[in-house]
Amino acid sequence: HVQLVESGGGSVQSGGSLRLSCAAPAHNYSSYYCMGWFRQAPGKEREGVGAIDNNGRANYPDSMKGRFTISKDSAKNTLYLQMDSLTPEDSATYYCAADWEYCSRGFCYPSCRAGRETRSGYWGQGTQVTVS
């Protein structure tokens, strides 16, 4: 039973910052080749925010570059998402995930990229971020 537990969500004013955390059991954390963040706003499709592989290399969709930073602390088995210059459009439930399959043009395969379409993987319950 894998548990990814997000924390750090809340309400913030436009222009502010938040840092989300995602804690994983030690034995799972060390086995993941990829971890990342996704978000979903009410009435909208889920979208990828960014991903980081087990070598610490992060990548982001073009729409997320510049304001979001993913990092890991292996000593704490924790994944982070630093969010800066937040706008109301960033309001959503943010999910931590690990080892999903990236899907493109109908094909799904293991790839450390946080795209719109994914399959399987391990997911947290989400943490709400509200920007006003």
Side-chain angles (χ1 to χ4, degrees), residues 64-116:
M64 302 295 172
K65 291 179 179 178
R67 298 186 299 116
F68 297 92
T69 304
I70 292 177
S71 61
K72 299 169 64 177
D73 186 337
S74 296
K76 297 181 179 180
N77 304 317
T78 300
L79 175 74
Y80 299 102
L81 176 65
Q82 177 67 40
M83 305 187 293
D84 299 313
S85 302
L86 289 165
T87 73
E89 288 68 38
D90 296 315
S91 297
T93 300
Y94 285 71
Y95 297 92
C96 171
D99 289 359
W100 62 88
E101 288 189 331
Y102 173 84
C103 301
S104 177
R105 300 180 181 179
F107 294 95
C108 298
Y109 48 92
S111 178
C112 198
R113 287 183 287 175
R116 286 187 176 273

